[in-house]
Amino acid sequence: MSTTRTAISKPADDDVFDFDLNAVEAESELRPFRFLWKSKTDPNRRLTMQHMEGLNMWPLLAAADQGDVAAIMSVFRIALGDDWKAFHETPLPQYKMQALFKAYQKHCGQKPGESAASSDS
């Protein structure tokens, strides 16, 4: 028994579509999260993290496959952007990291334990 396959042609630019991802906007203001974390050279160093809802999901999803710690590290690395290296080079006690992550989640409207990929809907 043979099966006939039909090639699926690429839709023309004026064809109907089911969803316009280009039109989707954030439901809330994606205001950056700023915090102080002193270094040896700057006692008032300010670091900035992108809002969690604005982070690129692809590296976050890849890190999630490696466990919770890898996922959280990925969130910090991506959210801090250019500030990541300076942040990562400064010793950080676990209790401060936990407090920072809770404050970041609260700022982003998430409850502790809620992942960056979760949705309120």
Side-chain angles (χ1 to χ4, degrees):
M1 184 171 176
S2 80
T3 305
T4 306
R5 293 187 177 218
T6 306
I8 298 173
S9 62
K10 185 176 179 184
D13 284 344
D14 60 348
D15 281 355
V16 176
F17 53 86
D18 296 309
F19 182 74
D20 184 0
L21 187 56
N22 298 315
V24 175
E25 302 218 359
E27 293 180 8
S28 61
E29 180 186 5
L30 301 182
R31 190 173 54 83
F33 176 73
R34 295 178 178 92
F35 64 99
L36 291 175
W37 180 233
K38 67 181 176 181
S39 68
K40 290 179 182 179
T41 59
D42 185 357
N44 294 310
R45 178 177 59 174
R46 296 170 195 270
L47 299 171
T48 301
M49 296 174 71
Q50 292 179 47
H51 194 284
M52 199 176 290
E53 289 186 23
L55 300 180
N56 180 358
M57 287 305 302
W58 302 125
L60 295 177
L61 292 171
D65 284 344
Q66 299 170 19
D68 291 344
V69 173
I72 291 171
M73 290 297 291
S74 181
V75 167
F76 276 97
R77 188 179 68 255
I78 294 165
L80 282 161
D82 292 339
D83 286 340
W84 168 251
K85 185 176 181 193
F87 176 75
H88 191 254
E89 289 176 346
T90 305
L92 180 64
Q94 184 175 349
Y95 71 92
K96 287 192 180 213
M97 175 60 103
Q98 290 171 343
L100 176 61
F101 194 63
K102 284 180 185 177
Y104 179 55
Q105 285 182 302
K106 183 178 179 183
H107 171 84
C108 295
Q110 293 189 344
K111 298 173 186 155
E114 193 174 28
S115 75
S118 65
S119 170
D120 291 340
S121 54

